[in-house]
């Protein structure tokens, strides 16, 4: 089972990883230990692989820093569910292969709840039942089918949807 | 999915639709997916190592058009630690190997430098590894921020893919009163729209002949703080006359284009604005915050950044600070946005005015904006800054408080040692 880490509205990229702990400052090997350093200082030491983060609207506003979601990937976060995402961050999440679902779970689940998330089907199972999370936008599925946008581009030499 | 068919009955288009159609393969409208040519890709020092790794290891690629790629060393410049110095060394070596442009320590902040160098032009698409890449919209370039992976893909292919954004139309009416600036206009726009009010959208600003290029940069820069993908200012005023831009007729939005929202901002009634901690859309009248905070000592004032570190901004600060001194116990940091701004401010005496007032001058670059060096804040400290984000921990400790304002308000605050308007400074306007 995975644990729910519940956050509020407007979790910004400085909340996720403060700029002063970017890999080129804190070190490539340790920067992820500063994830949520100011707003959830216990997070990085306690999060387990597969744990699911849920938040409110406008998750990931702010910087284009890809190392913020990279830190969550290094900590093996299983997915992020929020009713809306900031656009640069949303691209970064999907580019790094971190499952991101546009859905509001904050009214349903409490911090620390035990769940399981099937990232392929988008089915989240919790103590009281299951939730079908919406799939990623159609135009991204072609890339995700190859594993990532980088893998798609390397294989095909073009972007998904672009004429060959 | 991406057929080359053009729309049989072309509808009027927004600026974003125009530019993305022109630089793509066919006519597109909001909601369409577009693969478009990228005219300039900008990489900053803080993600240079990630960028190089994506290019060399993940893609096995070199930049398709080296002349369309610029690396700027600005986010921690000069280097503060050995690891930063190493990252910057690798960026220099990569530029030398691949032939991409490099702007080294002291040249200035990425967006200011690209604008000065003519690497953002009307009708272009410019992608930067920095969220404030919306700034290029000041000259009707579709500027947008992306992460290291998207930036590497753009450098490798010369293209990017994106969804054509819906547009919000912002129309300015009337004229600003003295002491009210483009920063106040931008903060009012963010207050009206909210921090996610333009997510995935393009903000199209109709300003007529108002605003200098620098002021338009401030407006476009802050559009990302409403979540926007781009912030485009319809060309007018000195954009038409002062910089020798070739402005294609097609770049202007069509009459009757479709907007998801239209707002009008009456400049004539606008007062100076300030964002209080710790979200940019937490905007107040400075006059109100001045009362609320009248017993709060301001420890640091920072004038600079891609938002407000240009010559107009230093002039506005110097006009308030001329013949005066920064308050005891308050530190005033001034960091010009580029070496060109610094040179201009040196030549016309602005830097001397600021230095005599007690300002601490820094190397052109991002300075303490994201809390990495050159003036980070201690617990409990209060900072009034001309920058763009007041998030928790942004400029140092999590218990420091950041208020965002215009250079004129920042300068008045530095003199008074608490939040102040220029008119609060004793004798303001009496000294030439």
């Amino acid at each position: 089972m995975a644990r729910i880490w519940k956050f509020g509205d407007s979790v910004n990229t400085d909340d996720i990883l403060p700029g002063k702990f970017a890999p080129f400052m804190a070190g490539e090997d340790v920067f992820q230990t500063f994830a949520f350093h100011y707003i959830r200082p216990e997070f990085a030491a306690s999060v387990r692989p597969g744990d699911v983060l849920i938040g409110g609207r406008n998750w990931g506003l702010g910087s284009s820093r890809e190392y913020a979601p990279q830190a969550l990937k290094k900590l093996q976060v299983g997915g992020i569910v929020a009713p809306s995402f900031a656009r640069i961050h949303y691209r970064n999440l999907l580019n790094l292969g971190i499952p991101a679902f546009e859905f509001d779970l904050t009214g349903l689940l409490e911090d620390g709840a035990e769940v399981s998330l099937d990232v392929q089907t988008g089915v989240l199972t919790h103590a009281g039942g299951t939730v079908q999370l919406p799939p990623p936008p159609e135009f991204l599925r072609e890339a995700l089918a190859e594993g990532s946008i980088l893998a798609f581009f390397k294989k095909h030499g073009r972007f998904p949807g672009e004429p060959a | 999915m991406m057929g080359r068919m053009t729309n049989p009955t072309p509808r009027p288009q927004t600026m974003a639709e125009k530019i993305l159609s022109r630089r793509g393969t066919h006519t597109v409208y909001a909601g369409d997916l577009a693969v478009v040519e990228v005219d300039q890709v900008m990489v900053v020092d803080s993600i240079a190592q990630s960028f190089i790794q994506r290019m060399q290891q993940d893609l096995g690629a070199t930049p398709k058009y080296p002349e369309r790629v610029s690396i700027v060393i600005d986010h921690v410049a000069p280097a503060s630690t050995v690891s930063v110095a190493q990252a910057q060394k690798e960026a220099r070596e990569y530029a030398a190997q691949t032939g991409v442009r490099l702007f080294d320590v002291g040249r200035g902040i990425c967006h200011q430098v690209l604008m000065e160098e003519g690497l953002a032009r009307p009708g272009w698409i410019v992608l930067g590894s920095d969220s404030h890449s919306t700034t290029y919209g000041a000259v009707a370039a579709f500027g947008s921020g992306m992460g290291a992976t998207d930036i590497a893909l753009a450098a490798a292919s010369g293209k990017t893919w994106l969804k054509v954004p819906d547009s919000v139309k912002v129309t300015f009416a009337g004229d600003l009163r003295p002491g009210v600036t483009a920063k106040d206009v931008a903060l009012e726009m963010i207050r009206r729209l909210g921090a996610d009010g333009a997510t995935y959208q393009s903000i199209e600003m109709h300003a007529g002949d108002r605003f200098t290029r620098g002021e338009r940069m401030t407006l476009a820069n802050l559009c990302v703080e409403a979540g926007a993908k781009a912030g485009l200012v319809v060309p007018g005023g000195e954009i038409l006359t002062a910089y020798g831009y070739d402005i294609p007729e097609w770049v202007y939005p069509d009459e009757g284009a479709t907007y998801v929202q239209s707002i009008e901002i009456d400049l004539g009634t606008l007062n100076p604005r300030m964002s209080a901690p710790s979200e940019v859309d937490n905007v107040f009248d400075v006059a109100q915050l001045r009362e609320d905070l009248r017993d709060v000592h301001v420890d640091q004032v920072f004038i600079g950044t891609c938002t407000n570190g240009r010559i107009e901004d230093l002039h506005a600060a110097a006009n308030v600070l001329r013949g005066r001194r920064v308050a005891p116990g308050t530190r005033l940091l001034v960091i010009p946005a580029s070496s060109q701004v610094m040179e201009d401010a040196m030549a016309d005496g602005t830097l001397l005015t600021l230095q005599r007032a007690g300002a601490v001058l820094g190397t052109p670059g991002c300075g303490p904006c994201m809390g990495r060096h050159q003036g980070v804040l201690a617990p409990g400290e209060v900072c009034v800054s001309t920058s763009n984000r007041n998030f928790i921990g942004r400029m140092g400790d999590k218990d420091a408080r950041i208020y965002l304002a215009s250079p004129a308000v920042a300068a008045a605050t530095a003199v008074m040692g608490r939040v102040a308007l220029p008119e609060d400074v004793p004798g303001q306007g009496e000294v030439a």
Side-chain angles (χ1 to χ4, degrees), chain B residues 370-405:
Chain B
M370 70 294 293
R372 286 168 172 158
H373 71 158
Q374 289 183 342
V376 301
L377 301 169
E381 286 197 320
V382 172
C383 180
V384 169
S385 172
T386 66
S387 59
N388 43 58
R389 289 193 179 127
N390 54 358
F391 299 157
I392 291 167
R394 172 78 179 180
M395 285 178 68
D397 189 78
K398 69 177 168 56
D399 294 320
R401 283 179 289 160
I402 305 161
Y403 294 84
L404 306 176

Side-chain angles (χ1 to χ4, degrees), chain B residues 8 14 33 50 80 98 106 111 129 163 166 194 208 238 298 333 336 340 415:
Chain B
T14 63
L33 183 67
S50 297
S80 59
T98 58
H111 310 305
S129 70
K163 197 152 90 169
D166 285 320
E238 72 167 44
V298 174
L333 310 181
Q340 183 65 57
V415 174

Side-chain angles (χ1 to χ4, degrees), chain A residues 71-108:
Chain A
L72 302 183
K73 188 175 183 181
K74 289 188 85 167
L75 294 168
Q76 299 178 60
V77 162
I80 303 176
V81 186
S84 62
F85 290 84
R87 59 159 283 274
I88 306 176
H89 188 74
Y90 185 72
R91 280 184 82 118
N92 286 341
L93 287 169
L94 295 175
N95 284 344
L96 293 174
I98 300 170
F101 300 93
E102 291 190 279
F103 197 83
D104 191 352
L105 288 172
T106 57
L108 181 70

Side-chain angles (χ1 to χ4, degrees), chain A residues 12 14 19-20 24-25 38 57-58 62-64 66-67 70 87 90-92 95 139 154 159 161-162, chain B residues 2 46 54 58 83 129-131 144-145 147 149-150 157 159 161 196 200 229 372 389 391 393-394 396:
Chain A
N12 66 55
D14 279 271
K20 64 179 77 63
F24 83 138
M25 302 204 75
Y38 290 134
R57 63 190 268 194
N58 208 18
S63 167
S64 62
E66 192 179 76
Y67 49 78
Q70 186 81 47
R87 59 159 283 274
Y90 185 72
R91 280 184 82 118
N92 286 341
N95 284 344
F139 63 91
K154 196 171 179 182
F159 291 96
E162 188 183 13
Chain B
M2 292 283 301
S46 47
R54 299 275 180 279
D58 297 332
S83 66
S129 70
D130 183 280
S131 57
S144 198
T149 296
D150 280 316
S157 68
K159 298 176 189 172
W161 67 323
D196 61 353
Y200 290 101
K229 186 179 286 191
R372 286 168 172 158
R389 289 193 179 127
F391 299 157
R394 172 78 179 180

Side-chain angles (χ1 to χ4, degrees), chain B residues 78-301:
Chain B
S80 59
T81 66
V82 172
S83 66
V84 170
Q86 175 63 27
Q88 296 179 348
K89 181 181 172 195
E90 290 171 22
R92 289 185 193 104
E93 288 168 355
Y94 183 81
Q97 283 162 19
T98 58
V100 305
R101 265 187 211 85
L102 178 88
F103 297 104
D104 214 324
V105 173
R107 178 62 186 88
I109 306 170
C110 51
H111 310 305
Q112 182 67 23
V113 172
L114 260 64
M115 197 68 83
E116 289 174 0
E117 297 280 345
L119 295 171
R121 292 180 168 276
W124 281 24
I125 294 175
V126 182
L127 297 186
S129 70
D130 183 280
S131 57
H132 292 102
S133 300
T134 52
T135 305
Y136 308 117
V139 294
F142 188 96
S144 198
M146 290 190 184
T149 296
D150 280 316
I151 289 294
L153 283 164
S157 68
K159 298 176 189 172
T160 194
W161 67 323
L162 39 76
K163 197 152 90 169
V164 180
D166 285 320
S167 291
V168 177
K169 183 178 185 179
V170 177
T171 307
F172 301 118
D175 292 300
L176 289 174
R177 293 179 294 183
V180 188
T181 70
K183 178 64 163 285
D184 305 301
V185 178
L187 292 179
E188 174 65 8
M189 191 163 66
I190 293 163
R191 184 188 75 79
R192 295 269 295 272
L193 293 170
D196 61 353
T199 299
Y200 290 101
Q201 298 172 352
S202 165
I203 299 177
E204 188 180 286
M205 288 163 278
H206 293 243
D209 289 329
R210 300 175 189 84
F211 303 121
T212 63
R213 185 176 75 173
E215 291 168 334
R216 286 166 180 249
M217 289 172 74
T218 301
L219 295 173
N221 174 281
L222 285 166
C223 284
V224 73
E225 305 307 331
K229 186 179 286 191
L232 301 166
V233 192
V234 178
E238 72 167 44
I239 302 300
L240 306 181
T241 57
Y243 297 97
Y245 290 126
D246 175 20
I247 303 171
E249 200 51 45
W250 57 258
V251 89
Y252 292 88
D254 289 328
E255 198 69 42
T258 303
Y259 299 94
V260 289
Q261 188 186 173
S262 295
I263 64 172
E264 182 176 293
I265 294 179
D266 182 1
L267 303 181
T269 59
L270 190 65
N271 294 316
R273 293 284 193 247
M274 185 175 259
S275 278
S278 46
E279 288 169 358
V280 183
D281 61 351
N282 192 27
V283 175
F284 296 88
D285 256 343
V286 177
Q288 182 197 328
L289 280 181
R290 177 183 59 178
E291 298 312 311
D292 297 348
L293 300 172
R294 62 180 174 271
D295 299 323
V296 174
H297 172 70
V298 174
D299 302 285
Q300 179 166 301
V301 172

